[in-house]
Structures are given as structure tokens and as C-alpha cells.
Amino acid sequence: MFHVNHEPGAQIHHTDPFAAPAGNRSPVRRLRGRLAAPVTLWTAPGPAGLTVSSTLVAEGEPGRLLGLVDAESELWAAVEEAGCFAVAPLGPSHRQLADRFAGLFPSPGGLFAIGAWLDTPYGPVPDDAGGWAGCRLDAARQYGWGLLVEATIERVELADDGEPLLHHRGRYRGLA
């Protein structure tokens, strides 16, 4: 009988047993997976937060921010109530934080129980983030399976020029 614990790194399956067969996979989802996306943390007063990899910043006067979020998330409920939110780009050291806010990693004591947080009027941000933007909610509408959120950037705080955490083909990656 094969026991996983006998050999370090042993695997039961060489492929993902839950993956859809190649012929049944959505070509749109496959295309999206091939586009590298920055990993950001969106937070709102309450506090509430969510890892978001569909974020776009548009320059202008004022600057604008677009993003796709889950309409049923606690984050969206908090953003709707507060009318504002914070967006922090994450770096390679934030992989567990990103997984925690995506609901993929345990968070005993709550999402904000671990780590140091900077309180802002827009929502808490990780103290070690490379910066953050304070955004005022302008509009939101259903877009595909997500909610397209439009906001005005009211405040930008930049701390360092660290490497970004990227999401590509279902995994976190850094710049090579």
C-alpha cells in the first residue's frame, strides 16, 4: 500500500484530478490565464478585504481605477457602505497574505489578525506594502461574472519600488 507520508514530495496524482478535460475548458478562461496580472489587495473600512488580480489604473486628472470583484464578497458590501476603499499592490513576500484574502489559506482570528496594518480612512493596508491608493467609489455594474468597479483615486502613497507579485496561469510569480 502506498502512503504519501513515506517519501518527501510524493504525489498521488500526476495531474489535477478536478481539472476539466482539455476539450471542455473555456477558451476565454484559458486566454485570461495567459495574461500576467498584478496581485493587489483591496480593503475597505469595516474592515473587509479581497485579493484582486483584475485591476487597472488609468492616468488623468483625476486618476481613475477599474477592477473586477465578486459582487457577493464581504469586500463589496463594505465598499458599498463606506463609498471608498484602498488598493495595495503586493510583492513576492505577500503570497500567503494574497491566499488568505482569496480564501485559499486559513485565517484564524480573522483576515486582519496576522501582520502589521496601517489604518487609513479608505481601509487598512499592509504596513510592508510598496504603497497604496485611496479610492472613492464612482460606479459599479455587472460585467461578465464579476462586478466592474469604477473609482477615482484620491490619494497615493508610495513606499518603495519593490518587485510585484504577478498571477499567471493559476500561480503566483515574480519578475524573472
PDB file of all heavy atoms in Angstrom, residues 118-145:
ATOM      1  N   LEU A 118      -1.583  49.329   8.529  1.00  0.00           N
ATOM      2  CA  LEU A 118      -1.651  50.770   8.624  1.00  0.00           C
ATOM      3  C   LEU A 118      -3.113  51.166   8.452  1.00  0.00           C
ATOM      4  O   LEU A 118      -3.738  50.816   7.448  1.00  0.00           O
ATOM      5  CB  LEU A 118      -0.808  51.397   7.509  1.00  0.00           C
ATOM      6  CG  LEU A 118      -0.853  52.904   7.345  1.00  0.00           C
ATOM      7  CD1 LEU A 118      -0.269  53.592   8.579  1.00  0.00           C
ATOM      8  CD2 LEU A 118      -0.086  53.316   6.100  1.00  0.00           C
ATOM      9  N   ASP A 119      -3.673  51.845   9.445  1.00  0.00           N
ATOM     10  CA  ASP A 119      -5.068  52.288   9.339  1.00  0.00           C
ATOM     11  C   ASP A 119      -5.131  53.528   8.463  1.00  0.00           C
ATOM     12  O   ASP A 119      -4.400  54.489   8.681  1.00  0.00           O
ATOM     13  CB  ASP A 119      -5.643  52.605  10.726  1.00  0.00           C
ATOM     14  CG  ASP A 119      -5.952  51.353  11.515  1.00  0.00           C
ATOM     15  OD1 ASP A 119      -6.373  50.357  10.893  1.00  0.00           O
ATOM     16  OD2 ASP A 119      -5.774  51.361  12.738  1.00  0.00           O
ATOM     17  N   THR A 120      -6.019  53.489   7.460  1.00  0.00           N
ATOM     18  CA  THR A 120      -6.243  54.649   6.602  1.00  0.00           C
ATOM     19  C   THR A 120      -7.742  54.903   6.555  1.00  0.00           C
ATOM     20  O   THR A 120      -8.534  54.005   6.870  1.00  0.00           O
ATOM     21  CB  THR A 120      -5.726  54.417   5.161  1.00  0.00           C
ATOM     22  OG1 THR A 120      -6.672  53.631   4.434  1.00  0.00           O
ATOM     23  CG2 THR A 120      -4.357  53.748   5.149  1.00  0.00           C
ATOM     24  N   PRO A 121      -8.171  56.072   6.145  1.00  0.00           N
ATOM     25  CA  PRO A 121      -9.606  56.347   6.026  1.00  0.00           C
ATOM     26  C   PRO A 121     -10.286  55.481   4.958  1.00  0.00           C
ATOM     27  O   PRO A 121     -11.496  55.369   4.921  1.00  0.00           O
ATOM     28  CB  PRO A 121      -9.677  57.818   5.629  1.00  0.00           C
ATOM     29  CG  PRO A 121      -8.334  58.384   5.846  1.00  0.00           C
ATOM     30  CD  PRO A 121      -7.359  57.256   5.869  1.00  0.00           C
ATOM     31  N   TYR A 122      -9.484  54.866   4.090  1.00  0.00           N
ATOM     32  CA  TYR A 122     -10.022  54.064   2.988  1.00  0.00           C
ATOM     33  C   TYR A 122     -10.087  52.575   3.322  1.00  0.00           C
ATOM     34  O   TYR A 122     -10.722  51.811   2.608  1.00  0.00           O
ATOM     35  CB  TYR A 122      -9.156  54.260   1.740  1.00  0.00           C
ATOM     36  CG  TYR A 122      -9.099  55.698   1.304  1.00  0.00           C
ATOM     37  CD1 TYR A 122      -8.082  56.541   1.747  1.00  0.00           C
ATOM     38  CD2 TYR A 122     -10.063  56.221   0.461  1.00  0.00           C
ATOM     39  CE1 TYR A 122      -8.037  57.870   1.355  1.00  0.00           C
ATOM     40  CE2 TYR A 122     -10.030  57.549   0.061  1.00  0.00           C
ATOM     41  CZ  TYR A 122      -9.013  58.363   0.515  1.00  0.00           C
ATOM     42  OH  TYR A 122      -8.978  59.679   0.123  1.00  0.00           O
ATOM     43  N   GLY A 123      -9.400  52.171   4.368  1.00  0.00           N
ATOM     44  CA  GLY A 123      -9.327  50.772   4.780  1.00  0.00           C
ATOM     45  C   GLY A 123      -7.908  50.461   5.199  1.00  0.00           C
ATOM     46  O   GLY A 123      -6.975  51.196   4.851  1.00  0.00           O
ATOM     47  N   PRO A 124      -7.706  49.378   5.944  1.00  0.00           N
ATOM     48  CA  PRO A 124      -6.355  49.030   6.386  1.00  0.00           C
ATOM     49  C   PRO A 124      -5.507  48.538   5.218  1.00  0.00           C
ATOM     50  O   PRO A 124      -6.023  47.925   4.284  1.00  0.00           O
ATOM     51  CB  PRO A 124      -6.589  47.907   7.404  1.00  0.00           C
ATOM     52  CG  PRO A 124      -7.952  47.396   7.133  1.00  0.00           C
ATOM     53  CD  PRO A 124      -8.724  48.460   6.439  1.00  0.00           C
ATOM     54  N   VAL A 125      -4.209  48.835   5.251  1.00  0.00           N
ATOM     55  CA  VAL A 125      -3.282  48.342   4.238  1.00  0.00           C
ATOM     56  C   VAL A 125      -2.092  47.690   4.941  1.00  0.00           C
ATOM     57  O   VAL A 125      -1.725  48.091   6.046  1.00  0.00           O
ATOM     58  CB  VAL A 125      -2.807  49.458   3.276  1.00  0.00           C
ATOM     59  CG1 VAL A 125      -3.966  49.989   2.456  1.00  0.00           C
ATOM     60  CG2 VAL A 125      -2.116  50.569   4.010  1.00  0.00           C
ATOM     61  N   PRO A 126      -1.500  46.672   4.312  1.00  0.00           N
ATOM     62  CA  PRO A 126      -0.328  46.036   4.939  1.00  0.00           C
ATOM     63  C   PRO A 126       0.770  47.069   5.155  1.00  0.00           C
ATOM     64  O   PRO A 126       1.087  47.858   4.255  1.00  0.00           O
ATOM     65  CB  PRO A 126       0.098  44.977   3.912  1.00  0.00           C
ATOM     66  CG  PRO A 126      -1.094  44.751   3.044  1.00  0.00           C
ATOM     67  CD  PRO A 126      -1.847  46.045   3.033  1.00  0.00           C
ATOM     68  N   ASP A 127       1.342  47.064   6.331  1.00  0.00           N
ATOM     69  CA  ASP A 127       2.375  48.028   6.708  1.00  0.00           C
ATOM     70  C   ASP A 127       3.610  47.913   5.816  1.00  0.00           C
ATOM     71  O   ASP A 127       4.332  48.879   5.632  1.00  0.00           O
ATOM     72  CB  ASP A 127       2.749  47.816   8.173  1.00  0.00           C
ATOM     73  CG  ASP A 127       3.482  48.996   8.765  1.00  0.00           C
ATOM     74  OD1 ASP A 127       3.270  50.122   8.283  1.00  0.00           O
ATOM     75  OD2 ASP A 127       4.270  48.784   9.703  1.00  0.00           O
ATOM     76  N   ASP A 128       3.840  46.716   5.254  1.00  0.00           N
ATOM     77  CA  ASP A 128       5.032  46.500   4.439  1.00  0.00           C
ATOM     78  C   ASP A 128       4.737  46.514   2.935  1.00  0.00           C
ATOM     79  O   ASP A 128       5.569  46.100   2.137  1.00  0.00           O
ATOM     80  CB  ASP A 128       5.714  45.190   4.828  1.00  0.00           C
ATOM     81  CG  ASP A 128       4.841  43.973   4.599  1.00  0.00           C
ATOM     82  OD1 ASP A 128       3.614  44.120   4.386  1.00  0.00           O
ATOM     83  OD2 ASP A 128       5.386  42.857   4.641  1.00  0.00           O
ATOM     84  N   ALA A 129       3.567  46.996   2.550  1.00  0.00           N
ATOM     85  CA  ALA A 129       3.254  47.099   1.120  1.00  0.00           C
ATOM     86  C   ALA A 129       4.103  48.196   0.495  1.00  0.00           C
ATOM     87  O   ALA A 129       4.516  49.135   1.168  1.00  0.00           O
ATOM     88  CB  ALA A 129       1.767  47.397   0.918  1.00  0.00           C
ATOM     89  N   GLY A 130       4.335  48.089  -0.798  1.00  0.00           N
ATOM     90  CA  GLY A 130       5.131  49.074  -1.505  1.00  0.00           C
ATOM     91  C   GLY A 130       4.416  50.399  -1.696  1.00  0.00           C
ATOM     92  O   GLY A 130       4.975  51.344  -2.206  1.00  0.00           O
ATOM     93  N   GLY A 131       3.185  50.462  -1.273  1.00  0.00           N
ATOM     94  CA  GLY A 131       2.385  51.669  -1.387  1.00  0.00           C
ATOM     95  C   GLY A 131       0.914  51.308  -1.413  1.00  0.00           C
ATOM     96  O   GLY A 131       0.547  50.149  -1.258  1.00  0.00           O
ATOM     97  N   TRP A 132       0.087  52.321  -1.593  1.00  0.00           N
ATOM     98  CA  TRP A 132      -1.357  52.085  -1.646  1.00  0.00           C
ATOM     99  C   TRP A 132      -2.042  53.293  -2.265  1.00  0.00           C
ATOM    100  O   TRP A 132      -1.478  54.375  -2.342  1.00  0.00           O
ATOM    101  CB  TRP A 132      -1.924  51.773  -0.262  1.00  0.00           C
ATOM    102  CG  TRP A 132      -1.737  52.854   0.753  1.00  0.00           C
ATOM    103  CD1 TRP A 132      -0.640  53.060   1.539  1.00  0.00           C
ATOM    104  CD2 TRP A 132      -2.666  53.893   1.102  1.00  0.00           C
ATOM    105  NE1 TRP A 132      -0.818  54.164   2.349  1.00  0.00           N
ATOM    106  CE2 TRP A 132      -2.063  54.694   2.097  1.00  0.00           C
ATOM    107  CE3 TRP A 132      -3.938  54.231   0.664  1.00  0.00           C
ATOM    108  CZ2 TRP A 132      -2.689  55.795   2.661  1.00  0.00           C
ATOM    109  CZ3 TRP A 132      -4.569  55.338   1.221  1.00  0.00           C
ATOM    110  CH2 TRP A 132      -3.945  56.093   2.216  1.00  0.00           C
ATOM    111  N   ALA A 133      -3.264  53.064  -2.721  1.00  0.00           N
ATOM    112  CA  ALA A 133      -4.084  54.135  -3.275  1.00  0.00           C
ATOM    113  C   ALA A 133      -5.399  54.171  -2.526  1.00  0.00           C
ATOM    114  O   ALA A 133      -6.002  53.128  -2.260  1.00  0.00           O
ATOM    115  CB  ALA A 133      -4.336  53.901  -4.764  1.00  0.00           C
ATOM    116  N   GLY A 134      -5.844  55.367  -2.185  1.00  0.00           N
ATOM    117  CA  GLY A 134      -7.153  55.569  -1.572  1.00  0.00           C
ATOM    118  C   GLY A 134      -8.135  55.950  -2.668  1.00  0.00           C
ATOM    119  O   GLY A 134      -7.895  56.919  -3.396  1.00  0.00           O
ATOM    120  N   CYS A 135      -9.219  55.191  -2.794  1.00  0.00           N
ATOM    121  CA  CYS A 135     -10.155  55.370  -3.907  1.00  0.00           C
ATOM    122  C   CYS A 135     -11.556  55.691  -3.419  1.00  0.00           C
ATOM    123  O   CYS A 135     -12.015  55.152  -2.414  1.00  0.00           O
ATOM    124  CB  CYS A 135     -10.205  54.097  -4.743  1.00  0.00           C
ATOM    125  SG  CYS A 135      -8.605  53.623  -5.417  1.00  0.00           S
ATOM    126  N   ARG A 136     -12.238  56.570  -4.161  1.00  0.00           N
ATOM    127  CA  ARG A 136     -13.640  56.912  -3.917  1.00  0.00           C
ATOM    128  C   ARG A 136     -14.474  56.196  -4.969  1.00  0.00           C
ATOM    129  O   ARG A 136     -14.213  56.306  -6.157  1.00  0.00           O
ATOM    130  CB  ARG A 136     -13.832  58.423  -4.018  1.00  0.00           C
ATOM    131  CG  ARG A 136     -15.233  58.926  -3.831  1.00  0.00           C
ATOM    132  CD  ARG A 136     -15.746  58.931  -2.419  1.00  0.00           C
ATOM    133  NE  ARG A 136     -14.769  59.371  -1.439  1.00  0.00           N
ATOM    134  CZ  ARG A 136     -14.787  58.990  -0.157  1.00  0.00           C
ATOM    135  NH1 ARG A 136     -15.741  58.208   0.291  1.00  0.00           N
ATOM    136  NH2 ARG A 136     -13.875  59.413   0.680  1.00  0.00           N
ATOM    137  N   LEU A 137     -15.466  55.429  -4.536  1.00  0.00           N
ATOM    138  CA  LEU A 137     -16.326  54.664  -5.437  1.00  0.00           C
ATOM    139  C   LEU A 137     -17.150  55.604  -6.309  1.00  0.00           C
ATOM    140  O   LEU A 137     -17.804  56.516  -5.812  1.00  0.00           O
ATOM    141  CB  LEU A 137     -17.253  53.757  -4.620  1.00  0.00           C
ATOM    142  CG  LEU A 137     -18.262  52.935  -5.412  1.00  0.00           C
ATOM    143  CD1 LEU A 137     -17.564  51.931  -6.316  1.00  0.00           C
ATOM    144  CD2 LEU A 137     -19.213  52.224  -4.442  1.00  0.00           C
ATOM    145  N   ASP A 138     -17.104  55.390  -7.630  1.00  0.00           N
ATOM    146  CA  ASP A 138     -17.902  56.170  -8.571  1.00  0.00           C
ATOM    147  C   ASP A 138     -19.105  55.373  -9.068  1.00  0.00           C
ATOM    148  O   ASP A 138     -20.212  55.887  -9.101  1.00  0.00           O
ATOM    149  CB  ASP A 138     -17.062  56.599  -9.781  1.00  0.00           C
ATOM    150  CG  ASP A 138     -15.985  57.594  -9.418  1.00  0.00           C
ATOM    151  OD1 ASP A 138     -16.195  58.397  -8.486  1.00  0.00           O
ATOM    152  OD2 ASP A 138     -14.913  57.564 -10.061  1.00  0.00           O
ATOM    153  N   ALA A 139     -18.867  54.142  -9.482  1.00  0.00           N
ATOM    154  CA  ALA A 139     -19.944  53.327 -10.054  1.00  0.00           C
ATOM    155  C   ALA A 139     -19.536  51.865 -10.049  1.00  0.00           C
ATOM    156  O   ALA A 139     -18.354  51.537  -9.907  1.00  0.00           O
ATOM    157  CB  ALA A 139     -20.238  53.769 -11.488  1.00  0.00           C
ATOM    158  N   ALA A 140     -20.530  51.014 -10.227  1.00  0.00           N
ATOM    159  CA  ALA A 140     -20.281  49.575 -10.353  1.00  0.00           C
ATOM    160  C   ALA A 140     -21.409  48.975 -11.175  1.00  0.00           C
ATOM    161  O   ALA A 140     -22.550  49.430 -11.087  1.00  0.00           O
ATOM    162  CB  ALA A 140     -20.200  48.916  -8.988  1.00  0.00           C
ATOM    163  N   ARG A 141     -21.054  47.985 -11.983  1.00  0.00           N
ATOM    164  CA  ARG A 141     -22.059  47.300 -12.794  1.00  0.00           C
ATOM    165  C   ARG A 141     -21.606  45.879 -13.066  1.00  0.00           C
ATOM    166  O   ARG A 141     -20.404  45.592 -13.074  1.00  0.00           O
ATOM    167  CB  ARG A 141     -22.326  48.049 -14.089  1.00  0.00           C
ATOM    168  CG  ARG A 141     -21.121  48.186 -14.983  1.00  0.00           C
ATOM    169  CD  ARG A 141     -21.421  49.102 -16.172  1.00  0.00           C
ATOM    170  NE  ARG A 141     -20.203  49.528 -16.806  1.00  0.00           N
ATOM    171  CZ  ARG A 141     -19.781  49.089 -17.986  1.00  0.00           C
ATOM    172  NH1 ARG A 141     -20.486  48.206 -18.652  1.00  0.00           N
ATOM    173  NH2 ARG A 141     -18.670  49.528 -18.503  1.00  0.00           N
ATOM    174  N   GLN A 142     -22.581  45.019 -13.278  1.00  0.00           N
ATOM    175  CA  GLN A 142     -22.281  43.629 -13.603  1.00  0.00           C
ATOM    176  C   GLN A 142     -21.517  43.589 -14.918  1.00  0.00           C
ATOM    177  O   GLN A 142     -21.881  44.271 -15.878  1.00  0.00           O
ATOM    178  CB  GLN A 142     -23.582  42.832 -13.724  1.00  0.00           C
ATOM    179  CG  GLN A 142     -23.399  41.345 -13.622  1.00  0.00           C
ATOM    180  CD  GLN A 142     -22.934  40.895 -12.251  1.00  0.00           C
ATOM    181  OE1 GLN A 142     -23.354  41.413 -11.234  1.00  0.00           O
ATOM    182  NE2 GLN A 142     -22.036  39.925 -12.228  1.00  0.00           N
ATOM    183  N   TYR A 143     -20.443  42.815 -14.956  1.00  0.00           N
ATOM    184  CA  TYR A 143     -19.623  42.709 -16.153  1.00  0.00           C
ATOM    185  C   TYR A 143     -19.073  41.295 -16.210  1.00  0.00           C
ATOM    186  O   TYR A 143     -18.233  40.928 -15.390  1.00  0.00           O
ATOM    187  CB  TYR A 143     -18.491  43.739 -16.103  1.00  0.00           C
ATOM    188  CG  TYR A 143     -17.992  44.167 -17.454  1.00  0.00           C
ATOM    189  CD1 TYR A 143     -18.715  45.055 -18.230  1.00  0.00           C
ATOM    190  CD2 TYR A 143     -16.799  43.673 -17.963  1.00  0.00           C
ATOM    191  CE1 TYR A 143     -18.265  45.458 -19.472  1.00  0.00           C
ATOM    192  CE2 TYR A 143     -16.348  44.066 -19.202  1.00  0.00           C
ATOM    193  CZ  TYR A 143     -17.081  44.955 -19.956  1.00  0.00           C
ATOM    194  OH  TYR A 143     -16.639  45.345 -21.195  1.00  0.00           O
ATOM    195  N   GLY A 144     -19.575  40.484 -17.123  1.00  0.00           N
ATOM    196  CA  GLY A 144     -19.196  39.073 -17.119  1.00  0.00           C
ATOM    197  C   GLY A 144     -19.700  38.458 -15.826  1.00  0.00           C
ATOM    198  O   GLY A 144     -20.819  38.729 -15.398  1.00  0.00           O
ATOM    199  N   TRP A 145     -18.863  37.654 -15.201  1.00  0.00           N
ATOM    200  CA  TRP A 145     -19.249  37.042 -13.927  1.00  0.00           C
ATOM    201  C   TRP A 145     -18.864  37.906 -12.735  1.00  0.00           C
ATOM    202  O   TRP A 145     -19.096  37.540 -11.593  1.00  0.00           O
ATOM    203  CB  TRP A 145     -18.622  35.668 -13.785  1.00  0.00           C
ATOM    204  CG  TRP A 145     -19.237  34.653 -14.696  1.00  0.00           C
ATOM    205  CD1 TRP A 145     -20.450  34.734 -15.311  1.00  0.00           C
ATOM    206  CD2 TRP A 145     -18.677  33.407 -15.084  1.00  0.00           C
ATOM    207  NE1 TRP A 145     -20.675  33.624 -16.056  1.00  0.00           N
ATOM    208  CE2 TRP A 145     -19.597  32.776 -15.937  1.00  0.00           C
ATOM    209  CE3 TRP A 145     -17.488  32.753 -14.805  1.00  0.00           C
ATOM    210  CZ2 TRP A 145     -19.377  31.545 -16.506  1.00  0.00           C
ATOM    211  CZ3 TRP A 145     -17.265  31.518 -15.370  1.00  0.00           C
ATOM    212  CH2 TRP A 145     -18.200  30.916 -16.209  1.00  0.00           C
TER     213      TRP A 145
END
